[in-house]
Amino acid sequence: MKLSKKHYTFIFSFALIVLVALQAYYIYNSYRLIEKDMNKEASEIALKVADEMNQIQKVIDEDNLINSFKMLSHEKDKQFDELNVIRFKINNNHQIFTSKVDSLVDFYSKGENYQIALKMEIYSIYDEINNKELLPNKPLVMYRTSSKINHPKSINQSVWSSDDISNQKDSDLGIDESVRHKYKVKSQTYYELLNLKFLILKKIIPLIIVSLLIVGLIVFLYWKSLKNLSRQEEKINQLHLTIDSIAHELNTPITTMKFALHQVQHQETKQMMNRQINRLEQTVDSIFVKNDENSELLDEVILSEIIQNIQLQYPEVKLIHQSIFEKNNVLRTKDFQQIAQNLIENSVKYGASEIVLNFKFQKEIKLSFSDNGIGIPTNDLSFIFDKYYRVNRSVNQNVSGLGVGLFLVKNTIERYLGTISVQNNKDKGVQFLIVLQNEN
């Protein structure tokens, strides 16, 4: 089946969309994989920094902070002031902690070009006696980098109770044992790789550029091929038009020569000229599709006569003819003669010594022409009905013809809204099958 340029363009566009989608999917997966690896490396760096900061906190102020939570009152009037005192202590250490955490981040991410933001906060202090959350919306930030976190990712979480924050007994700390301090404290450490997108793009931009170049090259090559194909089709159409014009122009001199032939007195010269004029006329007539509406319908007797005449034309070829003739309501004699003449002549030209004709005139008209010739190359099967098309092979270089016989046959069949198909026989030769509806 031949496809038009529109079909090829549609197929190419669909294939291109699939290719672009696959490349986009591949790039997206690469992006996600690189993102995952970088976040993993950044989280490992953040954990190292967080461990170092925990040690620094213990040295600087953790004991005082622990005692502050240990001594935190359960009286509502005092809780607010005591929490502010704790917040004040934490805020006083911010400047020290910020410079420490920045220097640690720089140290551990050296050579990776990672810009990591880090933050550790106490986000929940729960009074277990009064069943009350003391930090509903405003957590206590223990330390953070100078760069702020916009999209935090958690790397460490801890929960501890004020009952267990010291191994010393309450009496050793001077706390009244009759008063219990029960608070559950929750803290969280967050990090963010701030230049993540930049680092990923830096790695996948070469992949994107290569993908775009591949797609661009494919589109350019297709456009170039389509342009060359259009130019070639234009030349072929121009050539066809030229041949048709030449054939049309030959009609006038042929008619003139026919009249002049009557003036020739020498009988042998007259017969020779008549044969050549008829040959030239047949060649010109073969280029054009003629629709003779005045031709009578084909009957069984005329069909047999046509086959016999063709057999006389080619005595070296064995014609095996089988017919089932019940009725014929559509096929005209001249059209059948043109179909049979062209197909049988084609078989003879291409080496057939035996041609099997199987005709059925029933509800459908089925005309089968099968020969034992050299067959048709598979790659040429879809083109043999094109006007002026000839199979390009060494074995038929000396075979005469314009390549219009099968074109005329197909056009004749299409006038009857019928179909014609062709296939190579299993052993040798080729078979044509014509199907026409046998109803007016």
Side-chain angles (χ1 to χ4, degrees):
M1 181 181 66
K2 290 175 63 178
L3 298 177
S4 65
K5 284 194 291 186
K6 287 184 178 179
H7 288 104
Y8 282 119
T9 301
F10 174 79
I11 293 170
F12 172 79
S13 301
F14 177 77
L16 186 64
I17 290 171
V18 171
L19 175 63
V20 171
L22 288 174
Q23 287 185 318
Y25 178 73
Y26 174 71
I27 292 172
Y28 173 76
N29 279 349
S30 299
Y31 183 98
R32 298 295 295 177
L33 183 62
I34 295 171
E35 180 184 43
K36 182 180 179 181
D37 290 342
M38 286 187 172
N39 272 323
K40 183 180 178 181
E41 292 176 5
S43 67
E44 290 173 354
I45 293 172
L47 278 172
K48 291 178 182 178
V49 174
D51 290 341
E52 292 273 0
M53 288 303 300
N54 287 339
Q55 298 300 322
I56 293 172
Q57 279 184 301
K58 287 181 179 179
V59 172
I60 294 178
D61 200 37
E62 183 165 318
D63 289 339
N64 290 331
L65 185 62
I66 289 173
N67 288 334
S68 296
F69 284 119
K70 183 74 174 179
M71 297 295 295
L72 189 60
S73 174
H74 286 282
E75 296 180 21
K76 295 181 181 179
D77 295 338
K78 293 181 179 181
Q79 277 179 344
F80 180 78
D81 293 333
E82 290 177 357
L83 273 176
N84 280 337
V85 171
I86 294 174
R87 194 181 298 276
F88 179 77
K89 288 180 179 180
I90 292 172
N91 290 338
N92 280 342
N93 292 325
H94 269 185
Q95 187 173 359
I96 299 172
F97 288 156
T98 297
S99 61
K100 291 284 186 183
V101 73
D102 281 343
S103 62
L104 286 171
V105 168
D106 291 340
F107 175 77
Y108 283 112
S109 61
K110 186 177 181 181
E112 299 292 344
N113 293 323
Y114 287 166
Q115 296 177 10
I116 299 174
L118 194 66
K119 177 175 70 173
M120 186 271 193
E121 64 182 21
I122 296 174
Y123 65 92
S124 174
I125 301 176
Y126 188 74
D127 184 344
E128 293 185 315
I129 293 179
N130 295 319
N131 295 322
K132 178 184 177 182
E133 174 60 56
L134 302 184
L135 299 175
N137 298 312
K138 193 173 182 181
L140 299 174
V141 179
M142 302 297 294
Y143 62 81
R144 66 183 175 195
T145 55
S146 54
S147 301
K148 292 185 178 180
I149 295 179
N150 297 315
H151 305 287
K153 293 181 177 63
S154 175
I155 56 168
N156 192 14
Q157 186 175 13
S158 61
V159 180
W160 38 278
S161 174
S162 60
D163 267 355
D164 305 321
I165 57 179
S166 175
N167 291 327
Q168 298 177 350
K169 294 182 179 180
D170 291 342
S171 58
D172 294 336
L173 295 172
I175 301 172
D176 188 353
E177 294 182 8
S178 62
V179 180
R180 303 300 302 159
H181 298 271
K182 294 183 67 66
Y183 287 95
K184 183 173 286 186
V185 182
K186 296 180 181 179
S187 65
Q188 183 81 44
T189 305
Y190 301 97
Y191 85 99
E192 181 184 4
L193 183 54
L194 300 176
N195 61 338
L196 175 63
K197 290 184 178 179
F198 171 78
L199 294 173
I200 296 175
L201 288 175
K202 190 176 177 181
K203 284 196 171 186
I204 67 171
I205 277 178
L207 178 62
I208 294 173
I209 292 174
V210 170
S211 298
L212 290 175
L213 285 175
I214 291 173
V215 172
L217 180 62
I218 292 173
V219 172
F220 172 77
L221 292 176
Y222 179 77
W223 171 79
K224 200 72 176 175
S225 301
L226 204 62
K227 190 175 180 180
N228 291 336
L229 180 62
S230 298
R231 189 182 295 116
Q232 186 179 9
E233 286 181 347
E234 187 177 343
K235 288 181 179 179
I236 292 173
N237 291 334
Q238 187 63 43
L239 178 62
H240 289 182
L241 182 61
T242 302
I243 296 174
D244 291 346
S245 299
I246 293 172
H248 181 74
E249 291 297 323
L250 286 174
N251 282 321
T252 300
I254 289 173
T255 304
T256 303
M257 285 190 291
K258 279 184 174 181
F259 282 113
L261 185 63
H262 295 292
Q263 307 299 322
V264 178
Q265 300 299 324
H266 193 274
Q267 195 62 29
E268 290 184 4
T269 303
K270 188 174 183 177
Q271 290 177 356
M272 183 271 292
M273 290 181 65
N274 187 51
R275 287 196 301 271
Q276 297 304 319
I277 290 172
N278 287 336
R279 181 180 176 186
L280 183 60
E281 190 174 31
Q282 288 175 3
T283 301
V284 172
D285 288 344
S286 69
I287 295 176
F288 302 103
V289 180
K290 294 184 178 180
N291 184 10
D292 190 353
E293 295 290 344
N294 297 321
S295 176
E296 69 277 5
L297 291 174
L298 178 71
D299 59 31
E300 190 171 6
V301 175
I302 297 175
L303 185 150
S304 296
E305 290 177 356
I306 292 173
I307 300 303
Q308 288 174 9
N309 289 333
I310 295 175
Q311 178 68 84
L312 292 175
Q313 276 184 272
Y314 307 106
E316 73 280 6
V317 177
K318 182 180 180 181
L319 290 183
I320 302 174
H321 173 218
Q322 297 176 342
S323 290
I324 299 175
F325 202 106
E326 295 179 4
K327 61 178 179 177
N328 173 32
N329 298 322
V330 293
L331 186 56
R332 298 185 179 278
T333 298
K334 285 191 175 180
D335 290 332
F336 172 79
Q337 187 171 9
Q338 185 182 57
I339 293 169
Q341 182 72 40
N342 277 295
L343 292 179
I344 293 173
E345 182 180 353
N346 237 40
S347 295
V348 174
K349 282 181 179 180
Y350 296 105
S353 60
E354 181 178 289
I355 303 173
V356 178
L357 310 176
N358 194 344
F359 302 150
K360 294 180 181 179
F361 289 78
Q362 298 171 317
K363 186 176 180 180
E364 289 183 329
I365 297 176
K366 293 184 179 180
L367 309 177
S368 173
F369 298 79
S370 180
D371 65 46
N372 64 346
I374 60 176
I376 301 171
T378 305
N379 294 336
D380 293 294
L381 283 174
S382 59
F383 301 102
I384 60 173
F385 296 109
D386 291 351
K387 195 174 186 179
Y388 302 122
Y389 184 84
R390 298 191 67 199
V391 176
N392 184 19
R393 54 188 173 186
S394 59
V395 295
N396 68 339
Q397 291 301 307
N398 297 322
V399 177
S400 62
L402 296 174
V404 294
L406 293 179
F407 168 76
L408 295 175
V409 170
K410 186 180 180 184
N411 275 270
T412 302
I413 300 304
E414 288 178 346
R415 280 197 282 110
Y416 287 93
L417 302 179
T419 61
I420 180 170
S421 59
V422 58
Q423 64 179 14
N424 285 313
N425 291 325
K426 185 177 180 181
D427 297 325
K428 191 178 181 183
V430 68
Q431 180 186 24
F432 288 87
L433 177 62
I434 296 168
V435 179
L436 308 175
Q437 294 301 315
N438 196 10
E439 300 294 338
N440 291 324

